[in-house]
């Protein structure tokens, strides 16, 4: 079962790669990105799209970082040494009223 999931995961990765590769090949036209004060940038369309994607991911991660950091500091993760020091709950069988 594990081998089948590994194989399906790699098939998905290959499909995503070829989809993005075909997208890049189909969008080689020159695009003009206009900035302020009459400045502009001429680049292939795929670079413009990938650049916009990279900027979006960066803004998303930077926007999420304070929330993630606050929640990470609120609940410290116990270390292995702390887990060894804390006593484990006793494993006792349940006691029934009728003595069974």
């Amino acid at each position: 079962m594990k081998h089948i999931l590994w194989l399906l995961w790699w098939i998905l990765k290959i499909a995503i790669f070829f989809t993005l590769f075909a997208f890049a090949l189909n969008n080689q036209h020159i695009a003009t990105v206009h900035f302020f004060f009459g400045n502009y940038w001429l680049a292939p369309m795929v670079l413009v799209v990938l650049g916009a994607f990279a900027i979006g991911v960066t803004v998303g991660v930077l926007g999420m970082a304070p929330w993630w950091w606050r929640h990470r500091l609120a609940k410290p993760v116990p270390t292995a040494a702390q887990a060894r020091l804390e006593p484990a709950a006793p494993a006792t069988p349940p006691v029934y009223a009728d003595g069974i």
Side-chain angles (χ1 to χ4, degrees):
M1 180 67 177
K2 192 173 186 180
H3 182 69
I4 294 173
L5 291 176
W6 178 82
L7 183 65
L8 288 174
W9 182 246
W10 271 102
I11 290 172
L12 178 66
K13 287 181 182 181
I14 291 169
I16 290 172
F17 172 78
F18 281 114
T19 302
L20 292 175
F21 187 70
F23 174 77
L25 288 178
N26 287 330
N27 290 297
Q28 292 183 356
H29 304 298
I30 298 296
T32 304
V33 180
H34 294 277
F35 297 107
F36 297 110
F37 308 115
N39 295 326
Y40 62 93
W41 177 46
L42 295 175
M45 177 69 76
V46 68
L47 288 181
V48 173
V49 171
L50 290 176
F53 175 75
I55 290 170
V57 167
T58 303
V59 169
V61 167
L62 290 176
M64 186 186 70
W67 176 85
W68 177 76
W69 193 255
R70 184 171 47 247
H71 281 73
R72 180 155 169 87
L73 291 178
K75 184 178 180 186
V77 178
T79 62
Q82 289 173 340
R84 283 193 300 258
L85 293 176
E86 296 174 2
T92 58
V95 178
Y96 299 103
D98 57 359
I100 296 176

